[in-house]
Amino acid sequence: MLMRVGGAGAGTDENKWIPVINPATGDEIDRVPAGTKDDLERAVTAADTAFSSWKRKTQRERGMVLFRAAGIVRERHKDLARLLTTEQGKPLKESIDEIRGFANILEFYAGISAAQKGELVRLGATGDAIITREPMGICAAIIPWNMPALIMGWKIGPALLAGNTLLLKPASTAPLTALRLTEILDEAGLPPGTLNTVTGVGETIGEAMAGHPAIKKLSFTGSCATGQRIRELAAGSLKELTLELGGSDPMIVMPDADIDKAVDGAIRGRFYNAGQTCTAVKRLFVHESIAAEFSRRLKQKTESLKLGNGLDAGTDMGPLNSAIQRERIEKLIDRVRDTGQGTVLTGGTRPGGAEYSQGFFYRPTVVSDVEKTSGLMTGEVFGPVLPVMPVPDLDAAITEANRTAYGLGASIWTSSLPAVKRAFDEIHAGIIWVNRHLTIPPEIPFGGMNESGFGRENGLHALDNYSRTKTLLLGW
Ligand code: NAD
C-alpha cells in the first residue's frame, strides 16, 4: 500500500519497502514505502499549503467532514476490521470494537463542532477582551502498533477539528489500517494535504518529524524511551508535545468485591489484545482473605481462553504483534523462572501444535508469589503475563499500586465507597476505574502522570491541546 500525501497515494524515490507481516501466520501480506526525509518534506509542503484554507473553514464545516468519514468507516467496518486483524493479530471482535471506536471518536468531535465557545472578559476602563482559540498550524502524530485505529482517532479527531493540518506516522508493523482510514477521510471531503500519512522507520521519519521546525506540535504514543528521545529532538524547535507513554496499571480487589466480575475484569484487563494495551492490568493485588480462591478461578478462566488466528471464529486471544514482542516476554518469564522471583501458575510457554508454529503466539500466563524487584513488577510488561499478589489491607494495596514510575490508570474492585475515595485520592494515575478496567470513551480526558507522560487526549481537553488562545483587547 502506498503512503498518502496531498490526498493521493505516494511512493518513495528510493524504492525501499517495509514488509507487513501477518503475526498469526508469518506471511507477508503487503508492504509500505520506507519513507525518507524528502518524503516527509513533501508531506510538510502539502500540509502547509492546505493549512490556510482548512483553518478558514468554520469548526462546524470541519466537523461535517469528520462526520461523513465516520459514516463511511461504519459502512466498511467489517473490511477494515479484517485488515486490522491481519496486520496486528487481535481477534476480529476486538478489531470491530476498535474500528467502531475510531468512528465514535470522529462522531464525538463532529458532535461538539457546532458548540464552539469563546470568552469575553470585561476589564472596566481598560476595555473588553475577547479570547478565542486558533489552531497551532502543522501538527504531527506518531502512533504505535497496538491500537493503530483508536490511537489515530484520538489524535486526528481533535487536531483536525481545531483547524490544524496533520502528518501521521504509523508503526511499521501495522501501517495498513491507518492508510486505509486516511483514504476514507480524503473521500469524505478532507481537502488534499490536510491529513498526510507517511510510512517509514521511527529513526528516520519519526526523528525528522520531532526535529522539524515547521511542525508546531507533536503528539506521540509509544514507549518511554522513544518519548524521551522525541522530547530531546523537539526541544530545538520549541515544539509543543503530548507524550502518551507506557503504563503499569494496578488492579486492586477487595474482599467485598463481586469476585466473578473481578476475575472476568482481570482476564479482559490483561489478555485483551494479547496484553498489548497501555492501560492493561499489569499488576494484580488481591486481598489475602480471598487470594487463594481468586487465583484458582483466575487460573481456570485463563486456561479456558482460546488462542488462535484472530480471523477464526471463537478466538479469544491472538498472537503477539511481532517476533520481537514475543522474545521480550519469553526473556522475562525465563528470568522469573531462573531467579525464582515468582511461580508460573499457568502458561509461560509457546503453545504446541502446527496451527501455532508460524505465528508469534504465547500462552496467556499467570504468575504468583512475585518478588517486588522482579521485572514483572518494576517495568512495563507488554504482553499476556499477569502477576498476582496478595495484600493484607487497602493501605498495603495502595502502597504497592504506587510502587511504580508510571501513572496511567488503576482500578479498584469493591462495594465500599470509602475504599473508592481512598483509591481515588491516593493512587497516582490519570484515571481510576471502579469495578471495571480499560474503558476509555471519547468524552473523557485520557493521559498519564509521572513516566506515563503528559498532555491529554480525548474530550474537550484534547481540543485545547491542539489549539492556543488568541486575545483581542478592545480599548473603547
Ligand atoms: P515505540 O516507542 O517503539 O514506537 C511507537 C512509534 O514511535 C512507532 O510509530 C515507531 O515507529 C516510532 N518510533 C520509534 N523510534 C522512534 C524514534 N527514535 N523517533 C521517533 N519515532 C520513533 O513503541 P511501541 O513498542 O510501538 O509501542 C508500545 C508502547 O506504547 C508501550 O510502552 C505502550 O505502553 C505505549 N502505549 C501508550 C499508550 C498511551 O496512550 N499512553 C497507548 C498505547 C501504547
Side-chain angles (χ1 to χ4, degrees):
M1 211 181 274
L2 293 176
M3 300 192 273
R4 195 88 199 151
V5 175
T12 173
D13 294 341
E14 291 192 359
N15 196 26
K16 284 196 186 144
W17 298 84
I18 301 172
V20 183
I21 307 293
N22 180 339
T25 62
D27 295 335
E28 181 176 329
I29 48 166
D30 205 340
R31 56 182 198 161
V32 292
T36 61
K37 288 187 181 164
D38 287 344
D39 296 317
L40 184 68
E41 280 311 322
R42 280 190 275 274
V44 169
T45 305
D48 190 34
T49 310
F51 179 60
S52 55
S53 59
W54 182 244
K55 84 164 180 189
R56 258 189 252 114
K57 288 191 186 298
T58 64
Q59 185 167 280
R60 184 140 192 212
E61 285 167 333
R62 295 194 290 261
M64 281 311 293
V65 177
L66 300 182
F67 188 67
R68 281 195 295 272
I72 302 173
V73 169
R74 287 198 185 280
E75 263 167 44
R76 299 186 197 154
H77 76 273
K78 285 189 184 148
D79 290 344
L80 289 162
R82 282 186 78 81
L83 181 65
L84 179 55
T85 289
T86 316
E87 66 172 338
Q88 201 278 344
K90 61 185 67 184
L92 204 51
K93 57 191 172 192
E94 293 181 14
S95 291
I96 288 175
D97 276 358
E98 185 172 339
I99 298 295
R100 287 187 176 145
F102 176 87
N104 270 340
I105 295 164
L106 297 196
E107 285 161 359
F108 168 76
Y109 285 106
I112 61 170
S113 65
Q116 193 174 13
K117 284 190 295 197
E119 289 170 59
L120 173 71
V121 181
R122 316 224 55 181
L123 299 166
T126 310
D128 288 328
I130 297 171
I131 303 164
T132 58
R133 293 200 81 89
E134 66 167 28
M136 319 280 296
I138 305 174
C139 295
I142 301 179
I143 60 173
W145 43 265
N146 64 329
M147 302 246 171
L150 199 72
I151 295 172
M152 176 178 172
W154 287 352
K155 297 192 189 303
I156 69 160
L160 294 177
L161 185 67
N164 303 286
T165 54
L166 197 64
L167 310 176
L168 176 79
K169 193 203 95 55
S172 297
T173 60
L176 304 176
T177 311
L179 287 166
R180 207 45 100 219
L181 290 169
T182 308
E183 273 172 25
I184 288 178
L185 275 135
D186 287 338
E187 187 184 331
L190 207 57
T194 307
L195 171 63
N196 305 277
T197 298
V198 182
T199 53
V201 295
E203 287 75 10
T204 309
I205 295 295
E207 296 205 0
M209 279 177 166
H212 203 294
I215 296 173
K216 299 299 175 207
K217 186 207 160 90
L218 190 154
S219 177
F220 168 75
T221 300
S223 62
C224 292
T226 310
Q228 272 160 3
R229 175 82 185 125
I230 285 175
R231 196 171 189 188
E232 284 163 19
L233 292 166
S237 53
L238 287 179
K239 211 180 269 12
E240 285 200 24
L241 290 178
T242 293
L243 297 181
E244 297 291 353
L245 309 178
S248 184
D249 285 13
M251 165 172 172
I252 297 172
V253 187
M254 298 304 288
D256 55 6
D258 178 326
I259 306 291
D260 281 330
K261 277 199 181 140
V263 170
D264 287 348
I267 297 275
R268 181 179 143 80
R270 177 72 266 200
F271 300 122
Y272 191 82
N273 197 17
Q276 305 164 118
T277 306
C278 51
T279 54
V281 172
K282 294 186 182 139
R283 296 169 300 138
L284 176 56
F285 301 106
V286 182
H287 192 276
E288 61 188 13
S289 63
I290 53 165
E293 177 58 15
F294 193 95
S295 293
R296 190 188 64 75
R297 290 194 217 179
L298 186 66
K299 177 172 182 288
Q300 198 179 35
K301 283 238 158 158
T302 302
E303 286 169 355
S304 73
L305 293 176
K306 178 150 173 29
L307 196 56
N309 186 324
L311 292 180
D312 294 341
T315 292
D316 295 312
M317 195 180 99
L320 282 110
N321 176 247
S322 65
I324 296 170
Q325 291 305 319
R326 180 169 64 176
E327 271 163 35
R328 286 184 183 148
I329 298 299
E330 283 179 322
K331 277 196 187 135
L332 262 172
I333 292 295
D334 288 349
R335 194 166 157 68
V336 166
R337 281 206 188 92
D338 294 346
T339 55
Q341 284 186 324
T343 308
V344 177
L345 285 184
T346 185
T349 59
R350 297 180 185 191
E355 70 271 39
Y356 303 118
S357 62
Q358 302 304 313
F360 313 128
F361 292 96
Y362 195 79
R363 289 168 61 209
T365 301
V366 179
V367 186
S368 66
D369 309 318
V370 189
E371 299 270 335
K372 286 178 185 162
T373 53
S374 157
L376 294 185
M377 302 303 271
T378 57
E380 179 190 32
V381 182
F382 216 58
V385 176
L386 181 56
V388 47
M389 299 291 296
V391 280
D393 51 34
L394 185 58
D395 286 341
I398 291 174
T399 303
E400 292 309 320
N402 284 335
R403 197 187 294 280
T404 171
Y406 297 107
L408 203 51
S411 65
I412 180 160
W413 298 68
T414 182
S415 49
S416 155
L417 269 181
V420 170
K421 172 148 173 54
R422 281 205 54 205
F424 183 67
D425 287 345
E426 295 175 34
I427 295 177
H428 310 307
I431 180 166
I432 310 287
W433 288 280
V434 179
N435 298 327
R436 65 190 311 154
H437 203 108
L438 280 187
T439 317
I440 304 165
E443 292 84 351
I444 60 170
F446 173 67
M449 296 178 177
N450 306 330
E451 288 187 20
S452 290
F454 50 78
R456 291 292 177 260
E457 314 243 51
N458 269 353
L460 297 172
H461 301 75
L463 262 190
D464 285 352
N465 274 233
Y466 281 103
S467 58
R468 56 188 157 207
T469 60
K470 187 166 186 185
T471 303
L472 181 70
L473 205 158
L474 297 158
W476 297 121

PDB file of all heavy atoms in Angstrom, residues 400-421:
ATOM      1  N   GLU A 400       1.499  -0.566  47.259  1.00  0.00           N
ATOM      2  CA  GLU A 400       2.022  -1.369  46.136  1.00  0.00           C
ATOM      3  C   GLU A 400       1.610  -0.767  44.799  1.00  0.00           C
ATOM      4  O   GLU A 400       2.398  -0.735  43.854  1.00  0.00           O
ATOM      5  CB  GLU A 400       1.532  -2.824  46.231  1.00  0.00           C
ATOM      6  CG  GLU A 400       2.110  -3.605  47.396  1.00  0.00           C
ATOM      7  CD  GLU A 400       3.632  -3.524  47.486  1.00  0.00           C
ATOM      8  OE1 GLU A 400       4.292  -3.570  46.433  1.00  0.00           O
ATOM      9  OE2 GLU A 400       4.140  -3.378  48.604  1.00  0.00           O
ATOM     10  N   ALA A 401       0.352  -0.308  44.710  1.00  0.00           N
ATOM     11  CA  ALA A 401      -0.127   0.289  43.447  1.00  0.00           C
ATOM     12  C   ALA A 401       0.783   1.443  43.033  1.00  0.00           C
ATOM     13  O   ALA A 401       1.094   1.615  41.851  1.00  0.00           O
ATOM     14  CB  ALA A 401      -1.561   0.772  43.617  1.00  0.00           C
ATOM     15  N   ASN A 402       1.231   2.221  44.031  1.00  0.00           N
ATOM     16  CA  ASN A 402       2.063   3.396  43.723  1.00  0.00           C
ATOM     17  C   ASN A 402       3.546   3.062  43.590  1.00  0.00           C
ATOM     18  O   ASN A 402       4.346   3.946  43.296  1.00  0.00           O
ATOM     19  CB  ASN A 402       1.888   4.461  44.818  1.00  0.00           C
ATOM     20  CG  ASN A 402       0.560   5.204  44.667  1.00  0.00           C
ATOM     21  OD1 ASN A 402       0.014   5.283  43.565  1.00  0.00           O
ATOM     22  ND2 ASN A 402       0.042   5.720  45.762  1.00  0.00           N
ATOM     23  N   ARG A 403       3.901   1.787  43.786  1.00  0.00           N
ATOM     24  CA  ARG A 403       5.327   1.424  43.691  1.00  0.00           C
ATOM     25  C   ARG A 403       5.707   1.234  42.212  1.00  0.00           C
ATOM     26  O   ARG A 403       6.033   0.153  41.737  1.00  0.00           O
ATOM     27  CB  ARG A 403       5.570   0.115  44.461  1.00  0.00           C
ATOM     28  CG  ARG A 403       7.052  -0.140  44.791  1.00  0.00           C
ATOM     29  CD  ARG A 403       7.224  -1.532  45.384  1.00  0.00           C
ATOM     30  NE  ARG A 403       6.600  -1.702  46.664  1.00  0.00           N
ATOM     31  CZ  ARG A 403       7.104  -1.302  47.838  1.00  0.00           C
ATOM     32  NH1 ARG A 403       8.272  -0.699  47.867  1.00  0.00           N
ATOM     33  NH2 ARG A 403       6.462  -1.519  48.962  1.00  0.00           N
ATOM     34  N   THR A 404       5.638   2.286  41.446  1.00  0.00           N
ATOM     35  CA  THR A 404       5.935   2.251  40.016  1.00  0.00           C
ATOM     36  C   THR A 404       6.280   3.664  39.564  1.00  0.00           C
ATOM     37  O   THR A 404       5.823   4.643  40.169  1.00  0.00           O
ATOM     38  CB  THR A 404       4.725   1.748  39.197  1.00  0.00           C
ATOM     39  OG1 THR A 404       4.997   1.923  37.813  1.00  0.00           O
ATOM     40  CG2 THR A 404       3.437   2.489  39.520  1.00  0.00           C
ATOM     41  N   ALA A 405       7.076   3.734  38.503  1.00  0.00           N
ATOM     42  CA  ALA A 405       7.408   5.058  37.967  1.00  0.00           C
ATOM     43  C   ALA A 405       6.288   5.577  37.069  1.00  0.00           C
ATOM     44  O   ALA A 405       6.286   6.728  36.669  1.00  0.00           O
ATOM     45  CB  ALA A 405       8.700   4.959  37.167  1.00  0.00           C
ATOM     46  N   TYR A 406       5.329   4.685  36.725  1.00  0.00           N
ATOM     47  CA  TYR A 406       4.259   5.060  35.783  1.00  0.00           C
ATOM     48  C   TYR A 406       3.049   5.643  36.528  1.00  0.00           C
ATOM     49  O   TYR A 406       3.000   5.629  37.753  1.00  0.00           O
ATOM     50  CB  TYR A 406       3.814   3.836  34.991  1.00  0.00           C
ATOM     51  CG  TYR A 406       4.902   3.247  34.130  1.00  0.00           C
ATOM     52  CD1 TYR A 406       5.520   2.049  34.475  1.00  0.00           C
ATOM     53  CD2 TYR A 406       5.308   3.883  32.965  1.00  0.00           C
ATOM     54  CE1 TYR A 406       6.515   1.499  33.675  1.00  0.00           C
ATOM     55  CE2 TYR A 406       6.300   3.347  32.168  1.00  0.00           C
ATOM     56  CZ  TYR A 406       6.901   2.150  32.521  1.00  0.00           C
ATOM     57  OH  TYR A 406       7.878   1.623  31.720  1.00  0.00           O
ATOM     58  N   GLY A 407       2.052   6.056  35.779  1.00  0.00           N
ATOM     59  CA  GLY A 407       0.841   6.580  36.394  1.00  0.00           C
ATOM     60  C   GLY A 407      -0.253   6.768  35.365  1.00  0.00           C
ATOM     61  O   GLY A 407      -0.827   7.841  35.210  1.00  0.00           O
ATOM     62  N   LEU A 408      -0.565   5.692  34.618  1.00  0.00           N
ATOM     63  CA  LEU A 408      -1.549   5.830  33.539  1.00  0.00           C
ATOM     64  C   LEU A 408      -2.969   5.577  34.074  1.00  0.00           C
ATOM     65  O   LEU A 408      -3.783   6.467  34.155  1.00  0.00           O
ATOM     66  CB  LEU A 408      -1.181   4.852  32.422  1.00  0.00           C
ATOM     67  CG  LEU A 408      -1.680   5.154  31.025  1.00  0.00           C
ATOM     68  CD1 LEU A 408      -1.347   6.576  30.596  1.00  0.00           C
ATOM     69  CD2 LEU A 408      -1.083   4.164  30.022  1.00  0.00           C
ATOM     70  N   GLY A 409      -3.270   4.332  34.462  1.00  0.00           N
ATOM     71  CA  GLY A 409      -4.589   4.011  35.001  1.00  0.00           C
ATOM     72  C   GLY A 409      -4.461   3.099  36.206  1.00  0.00           C
ATOM     73  O   GLY A 409      -3.363   2.626  36.524  1.00  0.00           O
ATOM     74  N   ALA A 410      -5.601   2.869  36.882  1.00  0.00           N
ATOM     75  CA  ALA A 410      -5.629   1.947  38.027  1.00  0.00           C
ATOM     76  C   ALA A 410      -7.084   1.592  38.246  1.00  0.00           C
ATOM     77  O   ALA A 410      -7.979   2.368  37.889  1.00  0.00           O
ATOM     78  CB  ALA A 410      -5.066   2.615  39.273  1.00  0.00           C
ATOM     79  N   SER A 411      -7.342   0.417  38.827  1.00  0.00           N
ATOM     80  CA  SER A 411      -8.736   0.110  39.153  1.00  0.00           C
ATOM     81  C   SER A 411      -8.835  -0.487  40.539  1.00  0.00           C
ATOM     82  O   SER A 411      -7.904  -1.129  41.026  1.00  0.00           O
ATOM     83  CB  SER A 411      -9.358  -0.846  38.126  1.00  0.00           C
ATOM     84  OG  SER A 411      -8.730  -2.105  38.158  1.00  0.00           O
ATOM     85  N   ILE A 412      -9.997  -0.239  41.172  1.00  0.00           N
ATOM     86  CA  ILE A 412     -10.302  -0.871  42.447  1.00  0.00           C
ATOM     87  C   ILE A 412     -11.637  -1.582  42.302  1.00  0.00           C
ATOM     88  O   ILE A 412     -12.574  -1.038  41.700  1.00  0.00           O
ATOM     89  CB  ILE A 412     -10.295   0.134  43.622  1.00  0.00           C
ATOM     90  CG1 ILE A 412     -10.616  -0.608  44.933  1.00  0.00           C
ATOM     91  CG2 ILE A 412     -11.243   1.301  43.401  1.00  0.00           C
ATOM     92  CD1 ILE A 412     -10.197   0.123  46.181  1.00  0.00           C
ATOM     93  N   TRP A 413     -11.697  -2.801  42.795  1.00  0.00           N
ATOM     94  CA  TRP A 413     -12.900  -3.624  42.710  1.00  0.00           C
ATOM     95  C   TRP A 413     -13.403  -3.813  44.123  1.00  0.00           C
ATOM     96  O   TRP A 413     -12.779  -4.484  44.952  1.00  0.00           O
ATOM     97  CB  TRP A 413     -12.571  -4.952  42.014  1.00  0.00           C
ATOM     98  CG  TRP A 413     -12.099  -4.699  40.611  1.00  0.00           C
ATOM     99  CD1 TRP A 413     -10.926  -4.091  40.253  1.00  0.00           C
ATOM    100  CD2 TRP A 413     -12.791  -4.996  39.393  1.00  0.00           C
ATOM    101  NE1 TRP A 413     -10.846  -3.987  38.871  1.00  0.00           N
ATOM    102  CE2 TRP A 413     -11.971  -4.543  38.318  1.00  0.00           C
ATOM    103  CE3 TRP A 413     -14.016  -5.609  39.084  1.00  0.00           C
ATOM    104  CZ2 TRP A 413     -12.340  -4.676  36.985  1.00  0.00           C
ATOM    105  CZ3 TRP A 413     -14.372  -5.736  37.749  1.00  0.00           C
ATOM    106  CH2 TRP A 413     -13.545  -5.278  36.722  1.00  0.00           C
ATOM    107  N   THR A 414     -14.550  -3.179  44.438  1.00  0.00           N
ATOM    108  CA  THR A 414     -15.045  -3.143  45.817  1.00  0.00           C
ATOM    109  C   THR A 414     -16.482  -2.661  45.790  1.00  0.00           C
ATOM    110  O   THR A 414     -16.938  -2.094  44.798  1.00  0.00           O
ATOM    111  CB  THR A 414     -14.181  -2.161  46.647  1.00  0.00           C
ATOM    112  OG1 THR A 414     -14.635  -2.158  47.994  1.00  0.00           O
ATOM    113  CG2 THR A 414     -14.256  -0.736  46.124  1.00  0.00           C
ATOM    114  N   SER A 415     -17.205  -2.844  46.936  1.00  0.00           N
ATOM    115  CA  SER A 415     -18.505  -2.186  47.071  1.00  0.00           C
ATOM    116  C   SER A 415     -18.445  -1.125  48.161  1.00  0.00           C
ATOM    117  O   SER A 415     -19.476  -0.626  48.598  1.00  0.00           O
ATOM    118  CB  SER A 415     -19.596  -3.234  47.370  1.00  0.00           C
ATOM    119  OG  SER A 415     -19.182  -4.066  48.416  1.00  0.00           O
ATOM    120  N   SER A 416     -17.242  -0.786  48.603  1.00  0.00           N
ATOM    121  CA  SER A 416     -17.087   0.188  49.690  1.00  0.00           C
ATOM    122  C   SER A 416     -16.749   1.569  49.140  1.00  0.00           C
ATOM    123  O   SER A 416     -15.697   1.765  48.520  1.00  0.00           O
ATOM    124  CB  SER A 416     -15.969  -0.299  50.630  1.00  0.00           C
ATOM    125  OG  SER A 416     -15.401   0.799  51.296  1.00  0.00           O
ATOM    126  N   LEU A 417     -17.648   2.535  49.404  1.00  0.00           N
ATOM    127  CA  LEU A 417     -17.386   3.902  48.929  1.00  0.00           C
ATOM    128  C   LEU A 417     -16.136   4.513  49.571  1.00  0.00           C
ATOM    129  O   LEU A 417     -15.335   5.145  48.870  1.00  0.00           O
ATOM    130  CB  LEU A 417     -18.599   4.795  49.201  1.00  0.00           C
ATOM    131  CG  LEU A 417     -19.617   4.877  48.078  1.00  0.00           C
ATOM    132  CD1 LEU A 417     -20.755   5.813  48.464  1.00  0.00           C
ATOM    133  CD2 LEU A 417     -18.955   5.387  46.792  1.00  0.00           C
ATOM    134  N   PRO A 418     -15.924   4.312  50.896  1.00  0.00           N
ATOM    135  CA  PRO A 418     -14.694   4.870  51.479  1.00  0.00           C
ATOM    136  C   PRO A 418     -13.429   4.300  50.811  1.00  0.00           C
ATOM    137  O   PRO A 418     -12.449   5.028  50.609  1.00  0.00           O
ATOM    138  CB  PRO A 418     -14.766   4.460  52.954  1.00  0.00           C
ATOM    139  CG  PRO A 418     -16.228   4.263  53.219  1.00  0.00           C
ATOM    140  CD  PRO A 418     -16.821   3.769  51.942  1.00  0.00           C
ATOM    141  N   ALA A 419     -13.472   3.018  50.439  1.00  0.00           N
ATOM    142  CA  ALA A 419     -12.297   2.437  49.770  1.00  0.00           C
ATOM    143  C   ALA A 419     -12.094   3.113  48.418  1.00  0.00           C
ATOM    144  O   ALA A 419     -10.961   3.416  48.012  1.00  0.00           O
ATOM    145  CB  ALA A 419     -12.470   0.929  49.607  1.00  0.00           C
ATOM    146  N   VAL A 420     -13.187   3.371  47.707  1.00  0.00           N
ATOM    147  CA  VAL A 420     -13.098   4.046  46.405  1.00  0.00           C
ATOM    148  C   VAL A 420     -12.487   5.435  46.584  1.00  0.00           C
ATOM    149  O   VAL A 420     -11.585   5.844  45.852  1.00  0.00           O
ATOM    150  CB  VAL A 420     -14.496   4.172  45.757  1.00  0.00           C
ATOM    151  CG1 VAL A 420     -14.451   5.088  44.542  1.00  0.00           C
ATOM    152  CG2 VAL A 420     -15.035   2.804  45.381  1.00  0.00           C
ATOM    153  N   LYS A 421     -12.971   6.139  47.620  1.00  0.00           N
ATOM    154  CA  LYS A 421     -12.471   7.516  47.819  1.00  0.00           C
ATOM    155  C   LYS A 421     -10.976   7.494  48.116  1.00  0.00           C
ATOM    156  O   LYS A 421     -10.217   8.304  47.580  1.00  0.00           O
ATOM    157  CB  LYS A 421     -13.246   8.195  48.957  1.00  0.00           C
ATOM    158  CG  LYS A 421     -12.656   9.535  49.333  1.00  0.00           C
ATOM    159  CD  LYS A 421     -13.638  10.546  49.816  1.00  0.00           C
ATOM    160  CE  LYS A 421     -12.955  11.811  50.326  1.00  0.00           C
ATOM    161  NZ  LYS A 421     -12.022  12.437  49.390  1.00  0.00           N
TER     162      LYS A 421
END
